[in-house]
Amino acid sequence: MYHKTLPYRIFSIFNNVLLTAISILCLLPLVHLLMVSLSSSAPANAGLVTFWPIGFTMEAYAKTFNNANFLSSLWVSVQRTIIGTALAMLVNAVAAFALSKDTRIFRARNIYLWYFVVTMLFSGGLIPNYILILKLGLMDTLMALILPVMISVYNIILLLNFFRTVPKELEEAAFIDGANHLRSFVSIYLPISMPAIATISLFTMVGHWNAYFDGLIYIKESMNLPLASFLQTIIVQADMTKFDPSMVANLSQRTIRASQIFIGALPILLVYPFLQRFFVKGIVIGAVKE
Amino acid sequence: MDSNTLLQPNPKAVRKTKKNRGYKQPWMLHFMVLPAALLVFIFAYVPMSGLVMAFQDYKAALGIAGSPWVGLKHFRYMFENEYFLQITWNTLFFACSKIVMNLIIPFIFALLLNEVRNMGLKRSIQTLVYLPHFLSWVTLSGILIDVLAQTGIINQFLTSLFDIKPIFFLADGNWFRFTIISSDVWKEFGFNTIIILAALSGINPALYEAAEVDGASRIKQTMHITVPALIPILIVVATLALGNVLNANFDQVFNLYSPLIYQQGDIIDTFVYREGLLSGQFSFATAVGFFKSMISLVLIVISYRFAYKFAGYRIF
């Protein structure tokens, strides 16, 4: 009955306070960002804003939403996230279903599986990938941001492990009723696996939304940049302070920059509650072995 | 007899159902794998063939087929290059520090979180500490550059508390290293506790009850039940992390570094990017990337072997 003892109770109070403080520490940078974006520019530039807005104003957001380049980037990101996630989930789930079959049913399974796993272990690297996109004529297109990252071998493995936990009897019953593989996938596996598929979809979405590097190297036209890449260029441009501490460039932009970064992070904050509900389940499932 | 004909099997009907059984159609499964296999071929296997550039002096005008072969020239140049040794060391330093910190801190945090009795509080803490994992390094670097600046709130706070000069977190080599490692730990420690918490929930409660009856204190219970039960998962996480010792997180370093601190902050990936795409040294950059891939491959194979041997871990 240790949790009735006095030392443990003292520890417990101390522990709860400590962990609460640590978890608040995870939120503070975002709170600070939001407060800077809601302050008027003079106190923000002077660095007076901490965790409460000074001279509350929505001006920075108004300016951000009047910026044509920002809006077009936002639209590119939305397109890329929706199309990229839908296509990726379709192709990955169908492949994972086929690969989840036993070798007795699908004799080539292990050959395919290794064919995929090798790409997890070894890749051409940055330069050959870049030249490939150049040669395929995908430069400056939305597809350059979607096709190369469409197949995630890791997600295929997560899904196939999940499909293998589905009771075989269900499928056998369907086969006896005259179903084929496609039918069994659509009518049995998909409905059962919805939690896992939703989880992986959300992860894929977050990945697409946050990806900035491919946009940086494959997109030349600034109007076609996805939002993450657009923000990256802004931050680096405004980053003159890092090179020369005495030079304080672009400071009037501080509140606007904060508002842009915050809008960039907002969709993540919005899907996060849904992510959180079952992503633990989804991840652990990948590690469970019968 | 009419009733007898009913009992006799109809051979035609039997054969018909056998032929139409769904699992007798492997072509359909092949068809399902095909789109993924095709994409992997184009976007993973074709670039792998591009690795031959590492043994050539690649000129864009000549293409891979027409460029002259130079053998191991680029690899020799790489190993004789002082700067390359420096960035390899930087990469190893960052990666290993992160591996160690991202093992110890989540472990301690999970143990402490395990002691929180109030379920509502426990869930709120978890929700908050998982969040930074989902924010991109672009967002975070935007915040960090602002907060860690010479006039940023961190320096204001420090200078008002202690009588010191402002610290150049991102412009001084040693502080830059500190910033990279601590910000990575801050971002990932919560998410890394998930796997440890999952292992904690798998421990048989009867063990704790038995220890309780024998009069073991909570500290004793933790030392003799919880920690031993977690050792296999720690070994798995540590060995699987081995495959990443040459990945020091490009996204993070790329968004925070500057020419000022290349000596302490430049890593292999950022070097490949600058040499290849900015200076147009395609062959040399490919050779560096190739070297890194080879080392990573060997380490991954070894680490998966170990993880399977020690803890029976397999990916599929």
Side-chain angles (χ1 to χ4, degrees):
Chain A
M1 293 287 86
Y2 61 87
H3 47 262
K4 293 266 200 305
T5 60
L6 185 65
Y8 187 79
R9 279 185 172 177
I10 293 168
F11 160 78
S12 203
I13 291 164
F14 174 76
N15 187 34
N16 287 358
V17 170
L18 175 77
L19 295 189
T20 308
I22 289 175
S23 55
I24 287 171
L25 195 70
C26 288
L27 204 61
L28 281 188
L30 271 178
V31 172
H32 173 69
L33 182 77
L34 179 64
M35 294 315 161
V36 170
S37 70
L38 290 173
S39 302
S40 28
S41 57
N45 291 345
L48 298 172
V49 181
T50 49
F51 302 112
W52 197 250
I54 299 175
F56 179 88
T57 169
M58 297 286 274
E59 208 178 315
Y61 286 93
K63 277 185 182 153
T64 296
F65 277 113
N66 279 330
N67 180 340
N69 211 333
F70 179 86
L71 288 180
S72 74
S73 288
L74 191 65
W75 174 234
V76 170
S77 267
V78 168
Q79 276 178 292
R80 136 172 220 183
T81 304
I82 292 172
I83 299 171
T85 307
L87 285 176
M89 285 320 293
L90 184 76
V91 174
N92 285 335
V94 169
F97 170 77
L99 293 172
S100 70
K101 293 285 159 254
D102 216 290
T103 39
R104 276 173 309 170
I105 292 170
F106 189 29
R107 221 171 282 157
R109 169 184 182 262
N110 287 347
I111 298 168
Y112 278 120
L113 208 47
W114 279 110
Y115 170 83
F116 284 113
V117 170
V118 165
T119 63
M120 236 172 146
L121 303 175
F122 204 75
S123 67
L126 176 67
I127 309 294
N129 276 315
Y130 178 81
I131 290 175
L132 176 74
I133 299 292
L134 202 64
K135 286 258 166 38
L136 289 174
L138 287 176
M139 278 293 173
D140 232 349
T141 62
L142 189 66
M143 279 299 150
L145 309 177
I146 291 174
L147 291 176
V149 292
M150 203 149 119
I151 302 297
S152 158
V153 180
Y154 184 75
N155 286 350
I156 288 181
I157 288 172
L158 279 183
L159 275 174
L160 84 86
N161 279 330
F162 189 88
F163 287 148
R164 279 161 77 182
T165 61
V166 175
K168 297 252 186 304
E169 289 78 6
L170 290 170
E171 191 178 52
E172 279 162 12
F175 282 153
I176 285 167
D177 291 344
N180 57 25
H181 282 297
L182 188 64
R183 184 62 198 268
S184 115
F185 174 64
V186 172
S187 310
I188 294 172
Y189 281 82
L190 269 190
I192 286 184
S193 316
M194 261 314 154
I197 287 181
T199 309
I200 292 174
S201 302
L202 284 168
F203 270 99
T204 312
M205 277 178 163
V206 171
H208 263 295
W209 187 265
N210 283 343
Y212 71 97
F213 188 68
D214 47 4
L216 225 51
I217 58 176
Y218 298 143
I219 305 289
K220 300 277 175 274
E221 182 64 47
S222 70
M223 280 294 192
N224 296 341
L225 277 178
L227 187 62
S229 315
F230 175 75
L231 289 175
Q232 207 273 343
T233 52
I234 285 181
I235 291 162
V236 169
Q237 280 164 9
D239 199 18
M240 295 309 289
T241 43
K242 250 184 4 187
F243 301 103
D244 181 3
S246 65
M247 202 170 95
V248 190
N250 265 335
L251 264 188
S252 59
Q253 299 291 315
R254 207 171 191 170
T255 54
I256 295 172
R257 215 166 58 228
S259 71
Q260 288 176 329
I261 296 171
F262 190 78
I263 293 170
L266 196 61
I268 306 283
L269 299 179
L270 294 179
V271 298
Y272 181 64
F274 299 97
L275 258 173
Q276 221 248 332
R277 195 185 329 156
F278 40 27
F279 75 69
V280 178
K281 221 187 292 175
I283 290 170
V284 173
I285 274 162
V288 167
K289 210 182 148 284
E290 291 163 53
Chain B
M1 294 297 256
D2 279 356
S3 58
N4 262 359
T5 52
L6 278 176
L7 296 173
Q8 282 177 3
N10 177 349
K12 266 190 183 163
V14 171
R15 207 178 312 128
K16 203 169 172 182
T17 50
K18 263 219 165 116
K19 202 164 57 185
N20 287 349
R21 280 283 167 86
Y23 57 83
K24 284 285 183 199
Q25 301 173 333
W27 60 267
M28 200 174 250
L29 294 171
H30 282 281
F31 192 71
M32 285 171 147
V33 184
L34 196 67
L38 208 65
L39 277 162
V40 162
F41 180 77
I42 297 171
F43 292 104
Y45 282 96
V46 172
M48 272 186 220
S49 69
L51 285 171
V52 299
M53 281 165 44
F55 306 99
Q56 297 177 322
D57 264 340
Y58 179 81
K59 300 274 189 300
L62 302 171
I64 287 180
S67 298
W69 292 88
V70 292
L72 293 175
K73 175 183 142 185
H74 297 295
F75 291 92
R76 265 203 303 278
Y77 177 67
M78 189 162 80
F79 292 123
E80 287 160 5
N81 191 334
E82 285 270 314
Y83 188 71
F84 178 75
L85 295 177
Q86 178 67 44
I87 58 168
T88 307
W89 162 243
N90 289 347
T91 309
L92 283 171
F93 176 80
F94 281 141
C96 293
S97 313
K98 284 177 187 178
I99 288 168
V100 172
M101 295 307 266
N102 278 329
L103 203 64
I104 295 171
I105 292 176
F107 176 70
I108 295 168
F109 190 80
L111 284 183
L112 292 178
L113 195 64
N114 204 30
E115 298 301 320
V116 176
R117 295 254 161 265
N118 182 335
M119 272 302 151
L121 179 66
K122 190 174 174 177
R123 206 156 294 145
S124 324
I125 291 171
Q126 279 176 301
T127 305
L128 286 178
V129 295
Y130 295 162
L131 179 63
H133 170 81
F134 294 99
L135 299 173
S136 73
W137 273 113
V138 174
T139 306
L140 286 177
S141 66
I143 299 172
L144 284 175
I145 288 165
D146 206 54
V147 166
L148 297 175
Q150 203 195 342
T151 55
I153 54 169
I154 301 270
N155 267 326
Q156 283 185 12
F157 177 72
L158 289 175
T159 44
S160 65
L161 266 189
F162 316 102
D163 193 22
I164 50 167
K165 285 200 179 85
I167 296 168
F168 299 136
F169 284 100
L170 296 170
D172 173 278
N174 292 327
W175 278 109
F176 180 80
R177 284 184 166 175
F178 168 81
T179 308
I180 288 282
I181 291 160
S182 54
S183 62
D184 188 73
V185 169
W186 173 83
K187 187 174 185 286
E188 302 296 339
F189 86 93
F191 202 71
N192 289 332
T193 53
I194 290 179
I195 197 162
I196 297 172
L197 286 172
L200 275 173
S201 65
I203 300 173
N204 186 351
L207 295 173
Y208 291 111
E209 284 158 22
E212 191 92 15
V213 170
D214 290 344
S217 66
R218 189 60 182 166
I219 294 172
K220 278 243 155 90
Q221 287 177 29
T222 305
M223 291 311 295
H224 296 283
I225 299 169
T226 317
V227 173
L230 289 181
I231 281 175
I233 195 81
L234 289 181
I235 290 174
V236 168
V237 173
T239 47
L240 294 187
L242 266 185
N244 277 327
V245 295
L246 288 182
N247 287 328
N249 196 341
F250 173 85
D251 289 356
Q252 182 193 16
V253 176
F254 180 69
N255 284 309
L256 290 172
Y257 82 153
S258 57
L260 272 181
I261 40 89
Y262 277 174
Q263 204 59 33
Q264 288 94 348
D266 202 9
I267 57 171
I268 296 176
D269 287 333
T270 48
F271 180 71
V272 168
Y273 166 75
R274 285 202 320 275
E275 283 296 305
L277 292 184
L278 300 186
S279 320
Q281 301 271 2
F282 279 9
S283 280
F284 178 63
T286 307
V288 175
F290 190 27
F291 166 75
K292 179 180 164 254
S293 269
M294 288 304 286
I295 303 279
S296 296
L297 175 70
V298 171
L299 288 170
I300 287 171
V301 171
I302 291 171
S303 67
Y304 271 80
R305 274 271 159 81
F306 267 106
Y308 180 56
K309 208 169 165 174
F310 282 120
Y313 175 87
R314 294 173 79 165
I315 49 170
F316 54 81

